[in-house]
Amino acid sequence: MRILILSDLHSNATALDAVLDAAQGRWDLSVCLGDVVGYGPDPNEVTARLRELGTQTIRGNHDKAVAGLMPTDDFNPVAKSAVDWTRGQLQPDHLAWLSTLPPGPLATDGIVLVHGAFEDEDEYVFTPEQALDGLLESTAPVTFFGHTHHQGGFSYLDSHLEVLQIRPRPSERFAALRVEPPRRYLLNPGSIGQPRDGDPRAAFAIADLEHQIIEFWRVPYDVSVVQGRMRAAHLPEQLIQRLSVGR
Ligand code: ZN
C-alpha cells in the first residue's frame, strides 16, 4: 500500500493540483499533517479537495486558529491577518470540517502523524534534540511531521541520531529513502502551499512501507497565478513574495 503524504497546504489550490497530477496513479490512500488553510488565496478549494479525496487529516495551528480553537496572540501580524481573512472566506461546512479535525499524534495504516513536535502539536522540530521525542516515543517506526515547511528528517538507531538530507536536487523530481528496520524515522514531506527550505516547488511524499521506500517529491507549479489571486484578495505582500523564493 502506498500512502500519499500531504502537509502545510496553506490554501494554495494551484500547488495542490500540481501535486495531485504528479502523484496520480502512485498512491492508494492519502493523509494530511495539517495547516490545510492559512496564508494562501484558496481556503474553500483546498478544503473541498481534501474532503473529496477522503484524506485522513490532523489539524495544524492555522486550522485551529481559523476555527477559533486557539488564540492568535502568538501569530505574527501577517499570519494573523491571513487567519482573519481566511475565516471570513470559508463556507460554513468547510469551517465546521476544519474545527473537528483531530490533533496528532494519530496512528494510521502503520505510520504516525503529527503536525509539530510529538509532545506539542504547535512546537517546531528543526534540531536533532527537538526530534528525539518523536523518534523515541512514537508508537510506529516511521512518523511524519510538518509545521516547519522544511522537507527532510531524522533517523535513529543504537543511540545514534542522524539528520537526513533527502531533498531532490533542482533537476530531479524525487529522491528515495530506503527504510531500514529497526531504525526509526521522523520525516517531513515538506510544504505544498508555502515551502520555506529554499526550493519554491511544492513538496510531498509517498510512503511504500511494504517495499520499504519513501519518496520525497518536488513539483513546479505556476507561482505567479497564485500570487495574482493573493493580490486580488489583498493578502499581505510579504506572503506573496515568499512563494517565489521558497523562504
Ligand atoms: Zn504550516
Side-chain angles (χ1 to χ4, degrees):
M1 183 177 58
R2 291 164 300 177
I3 308 172
L4 175 65
I5 298 153
L6 313 172
S7 191
D8 296 279
L9 296 82
H10 284 294
S11 300
N12 186 335
T14 306
L16 178 57
D17 284 345
V19 163
L20 294 176
D21 272 356
Q24 199 169 19
R26 299 176 190 271
W27 56 276
D28 304 301
L29 65 93
S30 57
V31 300
C32 172
L33 311 175
D35 280 1
V36 177
V37 297
Y39 296 137
D42 316 308
N44 285 306
E45 292 79 357
V46 168
T47 307
R49 207 87 90 240
L50 288 192
R51 295 180 70 186
E52 283 157 22
L53 290 171
T55 304
Q56 171 94 277
T57 303
I58 59 168
R59 69 189 188 187
N61 51 316
H62 284 259
D63 308 319
K64 272 198 297 184
V66 165
L69 297 173
M70 76 183 283
T72 48
D73 308 347
D74 287 347
F75 281 55
N76 66 53
V78 161
K80 185 181 177 331
S81 81
V83 164
D84 294 339
W85 179 86
T86 301
R87 192 182 296 133
Q89 294 292 313
L90 274 168
Q91 295 170 15
D93 62 316
H94 289 331
L95 190 57
W97 183 81
L98 288 167
S99 69
T100 59
L101 293 177
L106 180 74
T108 181
D109 300 292
I111 57 175
V112 167
L113 317 178
V114 295
H115 181 65
F118 193 77
E119 302 282 2
D120 181 350
E121 60 185 339
D122 301 326
E123 195 67 43
Y124 292 90
V125 175
F126 281 112
T127 68
E129 293 72 31
Q130 293 165 325
L132 257 185
D133 281 347
L135 286 163
L136 297 179
E137 291 175 34
S138 180
T139 52
V142 179
T143 299
F144 285 94
F145 73 106
H147 198 32
T148 62
H149 301 204
H150 283 228
Q151 194 172 46
F154 308 87
S155 74
Y156 186 91
L157 182 68
D158 296 337
S159 307
H160 182 71
L161 194 152
E162 194 181 332
V163 178
L164 302 170
Q165 303 289 350
I166 34 176
R167 283 164 45 195
R169 284 188 277 263
S171 59
E172 300 168 338
R173 303 252 289 175
F174 73 89
L177 171 74
R178 178 162 286 282
V179 175
E180 296 166 334
R183 187 173 279 280
R184 299 177 72 81
Y185 297 85
L186 182 65
L187 302 172
N188 191 325
S191 168
I192 291 174
Q194 194 203 77
R196 294 177 193 161
D197 53 10
D199 185 340
R201 296 178 295 174
F204 68 100
I206 298 173
D208 182 345
L209 294 182
E210 274 140 14
H211 297 97
Q212 299 180 342
I213 290 283
I214 299 172
E215 295 171 355
F216 291 81
W217 281 73
R218 294 310 274 249
V219 291
Y221 69 95
D222 192 342
V223 171
S224 66
V225 301
V226 179
Q227 291 171 321
R229 288 200 299 277
M230 291 174 80
R231 286 206 175 88
H234 304 291
L235 283 160
E237 188 63 25
Q238 194 182 328
L239 297 176
I240 297 170
Q241 293 295 337
R242 71 186 307 174
L243 293 183
S244 302
V245 287
R247 285 264 181 225

